[in-house]
Each structure stands twice: as C-alpha cells, then as structure tokens.
Amino acid sequence: MEKRIKIHYITGLVTAALVLLLGLSLAISAAVIYFGGTEQPYSRETVGEYLKYVLPFGILCILAVISGIVIKFVFPLEKSKLLPQSDEFRALKRQRARLEKKNAEALSDERILKESLYRKKISIALLAVLSILGIAALLVALLGNYDAALINESVIRVALTVFAVALIGGACAYVAKIYMAASARREAEIIKELLNSCESLESSSAAEEKVDRKPLYMNIARASIFALAVVFIVIGIFNGGMADVLGKAVRICTECIGLG
Amino acid sequence: MEKNLKPKLTFKRRLIQLYAALLTNANIKGFATGSIFKGNSKNACVPGLNCYSCPGAVGACPLGSLQNALASSGKTVPYYMFGIMLLYCITFGRWICGFLCPFGLIQDLLHKIKTPKLKKSRVTRILSYFKYVLLVLFVVIIPLAYMFKDMPLPAFCKYICPAGTLGGAISLLIHPANTGMFEMLGPLFTWKFALMISILVGCVFIYRLFCRFICPLGALYGIFNKISILGIKLEKNKCIDCGLCHAKCKVDIKHVGDHECISCGECISVCPTKAISWKGSKIILPENEIPEAATEEEKTVITKKREKRVFILRLVAAVLMVSTLAGALVYYNFIYEEPEISTDIGTGDFNVEDFRGKVVVINFWGTWCSGCKKELPAFNKVASDYADKDVVVVTVHTSGTEGWEEPEVYIDKNLKGSKMLFVRDVRVEGAAYDTYYTALGGPGTYPMTLILDDKGVVNYTTVAELDYESLAAEVEKALAKDTSGIDTDNLFEGYVVGDLCPSMDLEYIELIE
C-alpha cells in the first residue's frame, strides 16, 4: 500500500508540474507576442507559430492526466490510509478545538448580554437606513413636481435607480431584521442550556431540546421578494429594459471579450 | 451509507451541470459558423456565468447585462435586470453555482486532474471576501461612474471575466471567418488571456478558485443563500455538532447553507443524523409521515405509495428535461434561421455612388458603442485635414435599442461644425438586422471602417479602433492609388477588398441647427 501511495504522489506531482509549465508557456507566449514590437502583434500566423512551442507541454499534460485516471483505477487507494488528511480526522480535530474553546469561554450572562446588545445595535442601524431611504424616496417623488427643464433628466433617472435599489435594499434589510428576530430565539435556548447544565452536568445534549420551528415569516419574506422580482421584470419589459438586454446581447461585445 | 450516496449524488450533479451547460449553449452551429446567436431568446438571462459573446450562447449573461444596465441607468432605470437578479437570488441562491453554472462545471472538471490540492484554511476564508470587493467596485461603482461620462463600461467583463475570454474571444478567434479580429488584439487581450490561464491553472490546485474568491455573481447569490427557496438546510434539532459536514465541504463555509455554500450536497452524504437536507423538497414531495399506530402492512403500503410518487415525479422531470434539451438543440441548430438580407434597402437621399472620383471613408458607429465614440475625433480630424483633397468621410450611424442618445444630440454636443457627412443606417421594416452594415457582411462588431478608392472599390477594411495616424496613412495610400499593401483575404462574408462597394440609399441625419 505504501508503494501505491508513492505512485499516486509522484503522478500528482508530475501532473502538477506539467500543468504549471503549460500555463506558464501560454502566458509567456502571449506576452512575447504582444511585446514583440510590431504595430499589430497578433495574427493567426504568429499565434500558430507560438502554439507550436506550447503544443508539447499540452500533449504531455494530457498524457499525465490520462495516466492519473488509469492509475486511480489500477492502483486504487483506501481512504483510511490517508488518515491525517481525511475528512473524519479534520472533523475530530475541529470538534476538539471547539470544545476547548467552549470550555474556556463559558456560557455566561455576560456573553448573552453582549449578543443581545449587538442585535439591538444592528436593528437600530437597519431602522436608520430604512428611514434615510424613505426620506430619499420622498425627495425623489417631490423632485418630479419641479419643472423638468430645471432638473437634468439623467439625474432624475439615476435617482429613480437609486430608489429602486433602495426598495430592494429595504426589502432585504426587512428580511434580515426578521431573520435576526428569529435568531434571537437562540437567546432563550442558551438560557435554557444554562439552566439544564446547572441542573445536570451530564445532560449536555441540549440539541435534543432544541425545537425546530418552521419560520412562516421566512416564507412570507420569500414570497414578497419573489413578487417584487416579478413586478420589476414586468416594469422592465415595458420601460425598455428587456430590449436593452437584447440589444447588448446580440452584438459581439469586443470590450467584454478582451478585443481592443 | 456514505459509499452508496456519494457517487450517486456526484453523478447526478455532474449530469445536471452538463445539461445546464448544453442548454445555455445550445447554439452549437455558432461554433461552426464563427458567429453569435442573435435571436429573441437573448432577451432572457441565463442563471450562470455564460458570456453572451460566446457563439453557442442562447441567453444573455446576467453579470454582463447587470453591468450594462447600470452603465445605462441614466437613460433607463434597470428594473428588468434588478427583477431578474432578485428572481434568481431568491429562487436558487448559490444552488446555481453548484448545479447550473457552466464555468463552475469547467472548474469542477479541472479540479479532478490528479495533482496535490490546496485545502481550505483561514486564509482562504479571508480571501473569499475579496469577491464582494469586486462586486461593489467592478460591477456597481465603475459602470455607474462611467455612466456619468456617457461611456458605458462593463468593468468586470472588460478587465477580469475569464468566461468571456474563454467562451467569447477564444471561440471566435479559432474560426477562420474571424481572422480580422486578430487586428483588435492588444494589451487588454494579453492581460485577460494571462488572467484566464492563471485562473484555470489555479482551479486545478484550488477547488473552485474563481467561485470562491473572484466571482461577483456568486457573491450576489450568496447574500440570499440563507433565504433562497432552493439550497441546503440544516435541521438544528437533529444536529449533533460533529463537524463532519464542515470537514467534508471544500468551500469556505462557517455553517452549512451560509453565503459561501454552493449547495453541492456533498455534506448530506456524511451527516450521521441526516440533519442536512435539500430546501424546497417538501414543496414537491411531502414528508413520509407514517402514523405511530399503523400496522406493518399499513406502513408498507404508505412507503410503497411514496416510492411510486417519487418514481413518477422523477420520470416526469426526466422526460421534461430531455425534451427541453432536445427541442432546444433542434430549434437552434436546424430550425432557426437568421433573417434574410434584402437588397432593397434604404429610402434616403444619400448614395455612396454619388461620390465617385473621391476617396470615401465609411465608418459605422453608434452612440451605444463607446469604442466608436472614442475614435470619432480621429475621423473628424481626417475630414477637416483632407477636405480639399477629394476625400469624403461618411459616418453611418446604426441605432441601438430605445433609450440610447440620438445621434443628432451627440453630434450637436461633440462634433458641431464637423466636415464629416452624417448618415443613418436605415432599417427595413420586418427585417430585424437588414441594414447597409449587414449587407456588407459586417461581422457583428462595431466600429467598422471601409475606405473606397475613387472608383468605389474597397481598398481597406478594419474592425479595429483607428487612431489619426493609421487612418491618415490608409487615406494617403488610397489617394496615391497605392494598391501594394492591399490585403485581399476575405474579411467579410459579403464584399471583400477589391470589390466594388454596393450602392445603397441611406438617410442623411438632420443635424440640430
């Protein structure tokens, strides 16, 4: 079995080296062509010429990959032989570290209070953001009553865009708030755990007492965001947004693909 | 249990990934013809990262469309793109990354190459936040900032996206019909090519390197991952905190189903208490609730009924999927045809034949094309420098979709008093792309420039952006009737260098006084 591990290891290293060489040769070829000094460095002939130098690395790479596949089937490895890197080992290691951390930082009143204060601050921040967005939306609505000649049309459009983003942001913030409220239930569970641990040191399986509550409010939030998305799509179809997407998608975007 | 579940799940996931990649790139004949699909299905965005300049792409790229929508938000509020993104985010979250993204499939396959692998760590966890920086900077801020300059710039697509380089540039350049595109390759392509190679090589050693550290689309989907309808969920009442799911997971999750989770489902197979499951499964198939008081016979009947339901659902799903893919492949490759080019074009008062005896420079542009606008000043300068030397510079404007600035307004703002002639490329009703540009066999990229000699014969063509010196040099050659450097390679399908330029009636643009 040790021999098999060695074969796998060497195959892996050789393949890694070839992959790196292939990548390097491709990148260097592109750089050499570009910095070649001519006005129009790239042409089919020039690229073809440099690809001839890269081709051997490519072939060797493919051969290494194929041999890796063959070795995997011909000399299969048992997972237990790789114990130090196995998932089970890493899981145990992590669990041990967490238990040690948990013991060091006991479930204290201070911690619960800290978490509670943190959640309150988040909630206040979210409410503040929502209020600012609401005021901004009001201003945008009022701006529409001004003489169009005085206000740059594009500024109004940008403001409307910001409003749309604000609406989405507000919806997400509201959903986040709901989720935060849901996680606040954990507070009660932590207190429950504390009580349990005080009553019996052996009943550490607080997991058995955790209740899986179905978040109905989560489904309501999902449905609301879904409905908002559909409304936006319908508005977008009528205001030309969909046609814009088509107009861009049916032309080769030379910038997007690096031509230029 | 793990041995039985894992191969099945991985195989199913690979199958779905392949299916999604084929469906989003169903226009296989595009690779054969070297041209992109231009049909109406590109109104819709595909959920994964798939460049719309890829010859096989039948839908628009969500990331590219989002950037373009933001870049033109001064003209049209991008409700459509916001709606599409919200819909994908709330419905799928990062399930798209695990199952539907073609570039994710490429990364998965590359990672299968047998080499030493770099496993996740605290460093990779920190690096995973970099994609949010890219999302904010390259996808939102830069396009918005350039919107104010009236120069649409999809910054992530232009400077970073490897899917565009691989699926778009390389696929197009390979084809002989696109030889002319080599002229356009320069520093940008060199940078993008090197970046793409680095990412692809990196994916061999690091699992989903692009998805974890770079992809802004994944970053956006990840924000909604916890509340999305589909994905992975953890039932806390069953969880015993063994950490096997976390150890098994190859991406940088802190908890199952968080913003980094790509919902690949590998953790489901290792959970000893079956605490991890798919979200949304109960929508289609309610839980198998067997009453406690039921007899053995009743339990068997209920279980068999459920198994039958599962089988029927799977059969229906498989039939639907296969028929959709088959239908798409047949439609895009055998049924769909590009609208025929009619020769009866134009109802205007401009005809290039009227300028026989002069060298004519024809430039195709649009206010929606930032590259075109960048090179117009060079054409303007040539027009004024060669005004008394029998040279005419004609700019032919092709309109984009509604919302883009009208050419008269742009010309009034930037090219007032110019000696160039401004003409509109007239679109014949009923034909989607029936214009002078397509009649010349324009290769789908803008800008395009032709130079005709005094007999109306095409001397020079290019799709690269021209500066003043290059343009002036070609004009001088045409004036000197120097045919030595003429490249007679067929650049376009229609008319080639050495052919007489066809006569078409086009409309003069009425300039603002």
Side-chain angles (χ1 to χ4, degrees):
Chain A
M1 190 48 83
E2 293 296 324
K3 224 179 175 179
R4 286 191 184 193
I5 296 172
K6 269 188 189 160
I7 291 171
H8 278 258
Y9 190 63
I10 291 168
T11 316
L13 279 179
V14 167
T15 312
L18 286 169
V19 164
L20 283 169
L21 277 171
L22 177 64
L24 215 60
S25 59
L26 281 167
I28 290 172
S29 301
V32 165
I33 294 172
Y34 175 65
F35 290 109
T38 56
E39 211 178 280
Q40 268 176 7
Y42 287 95
S43 69
R44 195 175 283 281
E45 292 77 28
T46 317
V47 169
E49 218 176 280
Y50 277 90
L51 276 177
K52 282 183 201 162
Y53 299 117
V54 172
L55 196 62
F57 292 115
I59 292 171
L60 283 171
C61 227
I62 292 168
L63 287 172
V65 168
I66 292 170
S67 49
I69 296 168
V70 167
I71 284 168
K72 188 180 171 185
F73 286 106
V74 172
F75 302 111
L77 280 178
E78 285 169 30
K79 247 200 157 166
S80 59
K81 289 291 171 184
L82 300 167
L83 193 58
Q85 286 85 34
S86 73
D87 297 333
E88 288 83 355
F89 182 82
R90 286 188 290 125
L92 279 168
K93 208 171 141 186
R94 187 168 176 263
Q95 209 176 7
R96 206 174 292 145
R98 277 172 65 202
L99 274 167
E100 281 167 14
K101 193 182 171 190
K102 204 174 176 180
N103 291 336
E105 170 200 292
L107 290 168
S108 62
D109 291 339
E110 208 180 302
R111 187 185 140 198
I112 295 165
L113 192 65
K114 218 173 161 182
E115 283 191 9
S116 168
L117 280 170
Y118 176 67
R119 277 199 205 93
K120 279 191 182 128
K121 281 180 189 166
I122 296 271
S123 305
I124 292 167
L126 282 171
L127 283 168
V129 164
L130 273 171
S131 312
I132 292 168
L133 291 174
I135 293 167
L138 200 63
L139 281 172
V140 165
L142 287 173
L143 270 175
N145 293 332
Y146 280 81
D147 185 2
L150 294 175
I151 307 285
N152 189 331
E153 207 182 319
S154 62
V155 170
I156 291 181
R157 284 215 170 99
V158 169
L160 281 170
T161 307
V162 170
F163 172 64
V165 172
L167 203 64
I168 296 167
C172 296
Y174 184 61
V175 168
K177 175 92 171 70
I178 293 170
Y179 197 74
M180 293 291 292
S183 66
R185 286 174 201 278
R186 232 186 113 247
E187 254 183 73
E189 284 164 13
I190 291 170
I191 295 167
K192 227 182 196 174
E193 272 181 74
L194 256 179
L195 289 171
N196 283 343
S197 63
C198 286
E199 278 171 14
S200 161
L201 285 169
E202 282 173 10
S203 61
S204 59
S205 55
E208 288 175 15
E209 296 188 21
K210 284 182 193 167
V211 177
D212 184 26
R213 295 165 205 269
K214 281 189 182 170
L216 179 64
Y217 41 79
M218 185 61 69
N219 288 332
I220 292 169
R222 283 176 183 148
S224 317
I225 295 176
F226 193 91
L228 185 68
V230 171
V231 165
F232 272 5
I233 290 172
V234 170
I235 295 173
I237 290 170
F238 286 105
N239 86 341
M242 190 171 84
D244 276 349
V245 167
L246 177 68
K248 201 67 192 174
V250 295
R251 293 190 173 101
I252 295 174
C253 176
T254 53
E255 269 183 329
C256 302
I257 60 176
L259 303 190
Chain B
M1 179 69 100
E2 182 193 331
K3 260 192 182 169
N4 285 337
L5 275 182
K6 190 191 176 247
K8 252 188 176 171
L9 179 63
T10 313
F11 174 72
K12 276 186 195 168
R13 190 165 79 90
R14 206 62 78 217
L15 210 58
I16 295 174
Q17 282 179 300
L18 203 61
Y19 175 88
L22 264 176
L23 194 60
T24 49
N25 291 286
N27 185 44
I28 296 171
K29 77 174 182 195
F31 292 103
T33 59
S35 60
I36 64 171
F37 179 69
K38 293 174 184 165
N40 284 332
S41 62
K42 278 193 162 173
N43 273 313
C45 290
V46 298
L49 194 71
N50 196 48
C51 186
Y52 43 52
S53 295
C54 172
V58 298
C61 174
L63 200 57
S65 301
L66 181 62
Q67 290 169 83
N68 284 309
L70 288 171
S72 55
S73 54
K75 297 171 178 49
T76 315
V77 179
Y79 287 113
Y80 181 72
M81 273 319 299
F82 287 159
I84 292 265
M85 295 311 301
L86 255 185
L87 189 69
Y88 285 146
C89 288
I90 197 62
T91 311
F92 301 110
R94 281 199 91 173
W95 188 84
I96 292 169
C97 302
F99 282 80
L100 300 180
C101 182
F103 202 67
L105 173 63
I106 291 171
Q107 292 175 82
D108 279 346
L109 293 175
L110 283 172
H111 194 71
K112 283 201 135 348
I113 295 173
K114 196 169 176 55
T115 61
K117 306 293 181 193
L118 193 73
K119 293 223 191 282
K120 64 183 182 184
S121 63
R122 252 186 223 167
V123 174
T124 59
R125 176 78 191 177
I126 293 167
L127 278 175
S128 70
Y129 289 102
F130 180 61
K131 57 182 178 286
Y132 295 95
V133 174
L134 290 179
L135 172 66
V136 170
L137 197 59
F138 281 83
V139 177
V140 179
I141 292 178
I142 295 179
L144 277 179
Y146 272 80
M147 183 268 294
F148 286 107
K149 287 186 175 185
D150 204 21
M151 302 260 287
L153 178 66
F156 182 80
C157 293
K158 181 171 179 175
Y159 295 112
I160 300 175
C161 185
T165 316
L166 183 65
I170 307 256
S171 308
L172 288 169
L173 288 169
I174 281 175
H175 199 277
N178 299 318
T179 306
M181 286 186 182
F182 276 91
E183 292 176 2
M184 302 176 77
L185 303 185
L188 180 64
F189 178 77
T190 309
W191 156 250
K192 284 199 81 183
F193 183 77
L195 184 64
M196 178 198 77
I197 293 293
S198 310
I199 289 171
L200 292 178
V201 167
C203 287
V204 173
F205 301 98
I206 301 172
Y207 182 71
R208 293 259 186 156
L209 176 140
F210 180 75
C211 296
R212 286 160 72 189
F213 308 134
I214 303 173
C215 184
L217 195 58
L220 198 55
Y221 290 151
I223 294 170
F224 289 80
N225 216 19
K226 281 200 160 160
I227 59 170
S228 63
I229 296 168
L230 289 180
I232 296 276
K233 69 174 177 193
L234 174 69
E235 286 171 78
K236 288 187 180 155
N237 59 331
K238 291 182 186 173
C239 177
I240 57 170
D241 264 339
C242 63
L244 273 172
C245 52
H246 190 275
K248 180 72 182 173
C249 183
K250 291 181 195 162
V251 299
D252 309 280
I253 59 163
K254 264 193 179 162
H255 312 286
V256 165
D258 70 3
H259 60 98
E260 288 300 320
C261 175
I262 59 168
S263 304
C264 63
E266 300 280 326
C267 50
I268 295 176
S269 57
V270 296
C271 182
T273 58
K274 291 190 187 176
I276 305 173
S277 58
W278 295 106
K279 276 197 260 182
S281 55
K282 286 173 191 164
I283 296 170
I284 301 164
L285 203 65
E287 247 180 70
N288 191 22
E289 282 173 5
I290 301 175
E292 271 182 37
T295 60
E296 281 303 318
E297 212 179 290
E298 281 169 351
K299 281 183 188 173
T300 314
V301 166
I302 294 170
T303 310
K304 276 197 171 156
K305 266 190 186 166
R306 188 165 197 270
E307 278 171 11
K308 196 177 170 187
R309 226 183 302 155
V310 167
F311 174 75
I312 290 170
L313 278 170
R314 281 186 179 160
L315 188 65
V316 167
V319 165
L320 275 172
M321 284 172 68
V322 168
S323 52
T324 307
L325 180 63
L329 288 170
V330 166
Y331 173 74
Y332 287 113
N333 295 288
F334 300 104
I335 297 175
Y336 177 81
E337 275 174 22
E338 294 274 348
E340 264 189 36
I341 294 168
S342 158
T343 53
D344 183 20
I345 299 172
T347 54
D349 44 4
F350 168 88
N351 195 323
V352 74
E353 262 187 349
D354 298 338
F355 297 91
R356 290 284 182 266
K358 295 187 180 187
V359 166
V360 181
V361 178
I362 308 175
N363 176 251
F364 288 88
W365 71 294
T367 52
W368 44 267
C369 167
S370 56
C372 305
K373 290 191 287 194
K374 243 192 280 177
E375 65 166 13
L376 272 180
F379 284 81
N380 192 27
K381 194 167 187 304
V382 162
S384 69
D385 289 352
Y386 288 85
D388 55 351
K389 287 186 185 171
D390 285 342
V391 174
V392 172
V393 178
V394 183
T395 62
V396 185
H397 182 266
T398 305
S399 49
T401 49
E402 270 179 47
W404 288 103
E405 192 175 33
E406 291 300 325
E408 302 88 336
V409 174
Y410 181 83
I411 293 162
D412 184 54
K413 272 198 284 195
N414 302 284
L415 298 164
K416 214 169 179 65
S418 169
K419 289 193 165 51
M420 294 193 288
L421 299 180
F422 297 100
V423 163
R424 199 186 302 274
D425 203 352
V426 174
R427 196 162 288 179
V428 174
E429 208 170 295
Y433 298 95
D434 215 340
T435 62
Y436 192 22
Y437 179 89
T438 49
L440 284 172
T445 65
Y446 279 73
M448 179 171 93
T449 303
L450 287 87
I451 298 182
L452 315 181
D453 66 13
D454 56 351
K455 292 184 177 57
V457 170
V458 179
N459 260 26
Y460 173 78
T461 61
T462 186
V463 292
E465 283 171 30
L466 287 171
D467 55 19
Y468 173 78
E469 286 76 24
S470 314
L471 183 59
E474 294 300 333
V475 168
E476 289 287 353
K477 267 195 208 167
L479 280 170
K481 297 186 187 11
D482 178 4
T483 56
S484 57
I486 287 184
D487 178 9
T488 52
D489 277 346
N490 192 354
L491 180 65
F492 305 133
E493 282 173 21
Y495 296 88
V496 300
V497 168
D499 278 4
L500 192 69
C501 187
S503 64
M504 302 281 175
D505 293 325
L506 302 175
E507 276 178 11
Y508 275 108
I509 292 175
E510 274 187 43
L511 301 177
I512 297 168
E513 297 286 324

